[in-house]
Amino acid sequence: MILCDKGLFTLHTKHTTYQMKADRHKVLLHTYYGPRISGGDLSYLIQYTDRSFSPCPNEAEADRTYSLDTLPQEFSTCGVGDYRLPSLELELDDGSHLADLRYADFRLEKGKYALEGLPAFFGGSEWETLTILLRDTAAEVDVELLYGVLEERDLITRAVRICNRSSRTVKLCQAASLCLDFPQGNLDFITFDGAHAKERCFHRSPVRPGVESVGSVRGTSSHHHNPFVILCTPDADEDHGLCFGAVLLYSGNFQAAVEQNQLETPRLTLGIHPYHFSWTLAPGESFTTPEAALICSPDGFTQMSQQFHRAFRDHLIRDPYAGKRRPVLINNWEATEFHFDASKLAAIARAAAPLGMELFVMDDGWFGKRDSDFSGLGDWFVNEDKLPGGLEALAPQLEGMDFGIWIEPEMVNEDSELYRAHPDWAFQAPRRAPARGRMQLVLDFSRQDVRDHIYQALRKVLDRVKVTYVKWDMNRSLTDVWSATLPADRQGEVFHRYVLGLYDMQERLRQDYPGLLLEGCSGGGGRFDAGMLYYAPQIWCSDNTDAIDRLRIQYGTSFCYPISAVGAHVSAVPNAQNGRMVSMETRGVVAMGGTFGYEMDLNQTSEEEREVIRRQVAFFKEHYDLIQRGDYYRLTSPLDNGPYTAWEQVSPDRREALVSLVTGNLRAAEPFRALRVKGLDPALVYRVNGEGAYPGDVLMHAGLPLPMPWGDYQSVQLYFQAI
Ligand code: DGJ
């Protein structure tokens, strides 16, 4: 997979090749990333020209064609001649802000590197790791570029370790996880953006001169932008064109920036956002960036997404939930919000269990004085006014379903026992009153003592009864980020230390409660990222449970993240977020585009609706592997304003497929349409919903006539099974 030959490094995956070369001045150049090629030294593609105002390194002497400003760099520097996006910015104790990296050595190993305290893809001998050592000799700083290669999945992971080898203090002002130059130019930039209740909407535009970036400075990866981006050729669509997906395994401030320079060759950098970031390295200390991962697909978005999905399922989501079935859950939030007691919960459970639901999730409101969002956060003990006898008394009333609870450990209300005892544990800067979000403050999770206190309180709850699931919520953006435990010149570390603290807490939960299913959440999908998935195999996708809005949200999410990660529930109508009426059938079909569960008071449904639910749950369980682990195809886009949105899952052996289809706003006199199915075996013959006999090649190339839709927001599921 990885070939190293006198400073030439070639990484081959199943469909792609990636190449770098240390040149005559020991600058590590990026020479190629694209469809798999046989090999050779591709540095012949680099053109050396004299560009005015592009300085030349001292050792290039009279060679005016050699400039860091014009050459494709593997990990860009700053202040020494490259004016494009930097990957590394150092501040030395002499006040200089320069970084100049030259190739020193490399190491090739079997297996995949790990990153202490940070999420990372994992695996065994199917991986190879290449470590390239770069050195800034003046600063005496070593930079290790780590590359993990998973050939079968076309996955190349990257992380960077920066080590201060000098006897002086060095400050990092910026440290990207990934830098990628695209000498071929002419690319589109795709990002996934939105807001609370409309996360990860697909946006595409041509890369233009200057810098374009998305990111977050909210302390979380955010509802507003996602740490996953695509660069692609203008002709790229689901089945054609070259595309490059880049994802950051990180749940805090991030930046994905693309710069088109004077030569019209874009550069992508991805990593921790430089806003209010700095890290002090004492002599001998090192800093490790979060991991980034790349997949290049020569054949469009579908192949890229499927490769990400497989890699996430098998090499990021950890046991026992890598392969284990997740339960169909019933959650009480939209049914009750804070206003419940044990008998109300028991009544919801009594209605849910006979319909096949397996896990009861008690959401916000069960602890402290938590009757609204004004109070209670931080007080992690059961509110016995609502739940007399505590969890021990409630659990037996759940009709044999497993028991899950909601927590929001990073937060505190000023009206809480915790805040009254430790007001200084919430983020606040000297002489400023902190901003509130949802009437709550953020605990300083960069502090071990704060984390320990919260963790011990949570343990007392979790040890009372068997809790098999925890929903870890986080309901505001960070402000007033200042930590009492760090000196003034190290406050730039707090945002990152907060994320490390979060990962530490979740890792402790994983270790102490093996088998616990953690669901991530941040007001829906405000922290829906690959970093979180390392700890929480599923994440509540959005607080917007309207099936029609969800089509767009789940569509955008699917470009990177697998179905099994996408928390999706059927909720009541009219929908709580937009008042829309959608049938139970369609709500179920859309929730099967994710982990599938219910979030409503089933006692408020009719007998007919309960029969629909019973059938949905049975169908989901019967086809669980196909739905959750099948290869995912986006058949149409909800953004096209067409008559329907359709998607499909195909089993790895291609003997089964499920097409789901939801109509949008209908127009009269729609033309007749056929649906061409994807990914089937052309040599097999399929029954559709138990009927007919259609050759796979016919279904894929000629298709099936679609039923003429009647009424907005109708849905159809077509199950294909090889005979
Ligand atoms: C936001 C979450 O996204 C909701 O599902 C719910 O858990 C509320 N928080 C509870 O406060």
Side-chain angles (χ1 to χ4, degrees), residues 282-344:
E285 283 184 350
S286 60
F287 177 84
T288 306
T289 70
E291 181 165 86
L294 289 164
I295 287 181
C296 165
S297 159
D299 297 308
F301 303 135
T302 300
Q303 185 180 316
M304 176 204 68
S305 297
Q306 290 182 353
Q307 290 289 58
F308 270 119
H309 296 174
R310 294 175 188 127
F312 276 42
R313 284 198 305 256
D314 299 335
H315 297 280
L316 182 63
I317 289 167
R318 290 182 286 173
D319 277 339
Y321 281 98
K324 190 172 159 190
R325 277 184 171 226
R326 320 264 178 83
V328 177
L329 66 81
I330 172 81
N331 174 304
N332 69 299
W333 175 248
E334 284 204 20
T336 65
E337 298 208 339
F338 300 104
H339 315 296
F340 61 82
D341 57 17
S343 66
K344 209 165 193 178

Side-chain angles (χ1 to χ4, degrees), residues 196 331 333-334 338 363-365 370 373 406 408 438 471 473-475 521-525 540 542-543 599:
H196 175 247
N331 174 304
W333 175 248
E334 284 204 20
F338 300 104
D363 211 282
D364 193 356
R370 185 71 169 165
D373 48 18
W406 176 100
E408 192 177 359
R438 204 194 186 195
K471 177 177 171 187
D473 205 349
M474 196 287 187
N475 281 301
C521 180
S522 175
W540 184 224
S542 177
D543 273 350
E599 184 163 337

Side-chain angles (χ1 to χ4, degrees), residues 258-302:
V258 178
E259 178 168 10
Q260 174 123 301
N261 68 343
Q262 55 181 333
L263 298 171
E264 297 180 14
T265 57
R267 166 176 295 170
L268 169 70
T269 57
L270 179 60
I272 293 179
H273 199 294
Y275 164 71
H276 200 7
F277 170 78
S278 66
W279 200 273
T280 298
L281 292 177
E285 283 184 350
S286 60
F287 177 84
T288 306
T289 70
E291 181 165 86
L294 289 164
I295 287 181
C296 165
S297 159
D299 297 308
F301 303 135
T302 300

